[in-house]
Amino acid sequence: MRCRFLACMWGMPLLLTSCDETHDSVAPPTEPAFEASRAAAPQAAVQSLGPVYRFVGRSQDATAEFYSWAPNEEISGYVHVFQDWGGGTDATGLHYSVWSCNWANEPPCEPLQEGYGPIPAQDVSFSANSVTLSTNTSAEANPDFFRWSGDGGPVEVTWDKTSFYSTHSIWNDQSTYGNLRSHSHGNGTDASASASGSIVETAFVSGWAEIGSAQSVNMEISVANVVSHVSGNAHFTTAGGELRTMSFHALQTADGRVGGEWQRYNRSMDAMAHGKVTCMTIDGNQAWLGGHSTRTTTTPGDVGWRVLDDGTGAGAEDLISMQPSGRYEGFAEDYCWEMGDWPQLRPIGGGQIRIKQ
């Protein structure tokens, strides 16, 4: 019922910055030692997940679903764009999902592009009878957009209202869509529409589309079945006296999947990198995390870091350590599996680390 509210996640985390190119001098285990443990290391799926989002207010939105068939392949997708007003915050956002299914493969279906997050308000235009969307969700064009499958890119969609139906409804809805859980209530109107366009490199003509508006909306959306969550925004000084900044979030669901994103900033080199979190191990108040870079101004490759959450009491001191960037493919999973005590943990001069299980 009213699945369009699944996408109204306007409070996207702003993933800022991170690590360092100079490091504490504690020697890491040799790579042959890592290679020996790699066969036993669990391989986490690369997927980004998000925390809880809440919204109270009114909104306009447009939704479309599409399906297409080719020999041995089915392409299906969903796109939803919205503008919300409420709680002192105006927000414009987008959610989309594109999947490919080939029944000769195992598994038969895989995501091509999935993401949600804020987009510039000027990238969408709403009127009584039509909606036009033109935006770019790549990391370069929109670093705050949350991509958990694919690299994002141009999204161009046009909706035109049709006379097939219109509805007015009052709802109280609790739904789960995969790992996303939605609870919303309010009232609104919807009208049938036709839609066409492209999501990144997938062109489509909708099989079903709607244009709608809602009032008195109260909504909460979260990731279902999360068993652990590690997040942080840390400003710290290396052994060489240089300032570094790192921001990250990572979640693990009950079925073992790990996802998230990280961003780092090396101030002395004016170097920035952004990437995916692909693994996480928690032991008490410490966590080991790893991933790979998706865009960087320095050496690309795998990264790893560990953190310590010292709580919130008087005298609490959160700690962080960073691995050299640009490590070999598979290093991240090795690092999470090894749970080593290197490099040395260092106090953060600003920010906060949080580990929840």
Side-chain angles (χ1 to χ4, degrees), residues 35 42 82 88 105 110 113 128 183 205 207 215 218 236 247 261 267 283 293-294 296 353:
E35 294 291 345
F82 64 92
N105 296 337
E110 63 175 354
Q113 299 286 338
H183 180 197
V205 175
Q215 300 80 39
N218 192 316
F236 61 100
S247 293
E261 299 195 27
R267 292 172 180 261
D283 183 15
S293 57
T294 57
T296 178
I353 305 294

Side-chain angles (χ1 to χ4, degrees), residues 23 69 75 90 126-127 153 170 176 221 247 313 341 344 349 356:
H23 306 273
W69 291 266
I75 300 294
D90 297 345
F126 286 90
S127 70
I170 301 172
T176 298
I221 299 177
S247 293
D341 59 358
Q344 176 185 347
K356 297 181 180 179

Side-chain angles (χ1 to χ4, degrees), residues 32-314:
F34 269 132
E35 294 291 345
S37 68
R38 180 179 294 179
Q43 299 300 307
V46 178
Q47 181 173 2
S48 294
L49 306 170
V52 176
Y53 303 98
R54 294 180 176 88
F55 169 73
V56 178
R58 60 188 179 90
S59 67
Q60 291 179 293
D61 76 315
T63 304
E65 294 180 0
F66 57 90
Y67 309 89
S68 64
W69 291 266
N72 300 318
E73 185 180 31
E74 174 185 333
I75 300 294
S76 61
Y78 168 89
V79 58
H80 173 254
V81 64
F82 64 92
Q83 284 188 326
D84 294 333
W85 302 269
T89 302
D90 297 345
T92 302
L94 172 68
H95 170 221
Y96 59 73
S97 177
V98 181
W99 282 71
S100 170
C101 292
N102 185 330
W103 308 111
N105 296 337
E106 183 59 41
C109 298
E110 63 175 354
L112 301 180
Q113 299 286 338
E114 295 182 294
Y116 62 81
I119 62 173
Q122 65 269 23
D123 287 1
V124 60
S125 174
F126 286 90
S127 70
N129 297 311
S130 65
V131 178
T132 302
L133 168 68
S134 178
T135 194
N136 192 321
T137 62
S138 68
E140 292 76 13
N142 188 349
D144 297 333
F145 192 82
F146 204 45
R147 298 157 295 276
W148 69 89
S149 295
D151 295 327
V155 179
E156 308 278 345
V157 186
T158 299
W159 286 260
D160 291 302
K161 185 178 178 180
T162 66
S163 59
F164 182 62
Y165 71 82
S166 63
T167 65
H168 177 79
S169 59
I170 301 172
W171 73 90
N172 183 9
D173 176 52
Q174 297 188 59
S175 304
T176 298
Y177 305 86
N179 278 312
L180 290 175
R181 180 172 51 213
S182 167
H183 180 197
S184 68
H185 60 83
N187 68 87
T189 60
D190 296 290
S192 59
S194 62
S196 62
S198 62
I199 300 175
V200 189
E201 297 179 348
T202 301
F204 73 91
V205 175
S206 66
W208 170 86
E210 263 189 358
I211 297 174
S213 63
Q215 300 80 39
S216 304
V217 179
N218 192 316
M219 175 171 38
E220 177 177 297
I221 299 177
S222 61
V223 179
N225 304 314
V226 171
V227 295
S228 55
H229 178 208
V230 182
S231 63
N233 182 31
H235 306 274
F236 61 100
T237 303
T238 69
E242 297 177 332
L243 184 62
R244 302 288 185 263
T245 307
M246 173 115 184
S247 293
F248 63 90
H249 68 272
L251 301 179
Q252 183 172 31
T253 56
D255 58 9
R257 288 182 297 167
V258 173
E261 299 195 27
W262 57 269
Q263 191 155 310
R264 59 180 185 159
Y265 182 40
N266 177 336
R267 292 172 180 261
S268 65
M269 297 178 62
D270 193 26
M272 183 178 291
H274 182 98
K276 300 284 189 180
V277 176
T278 59
C279 68
M280 174 173 65
T281 303
I282 298 176
D283 183 15
N285 67 340
Q286 289 195 64
W288 289 256
L289 303 103
H292 62 264
S293 57
T294 57
R295 60 185 179 92
T296 178
T297 58
T298 181
T299 308
D302 277 18
V303 298
W305 67 100
R306 66 181 175 124
V307 294
L308 184 147
D309 178 0
D310 199 30
T312 58

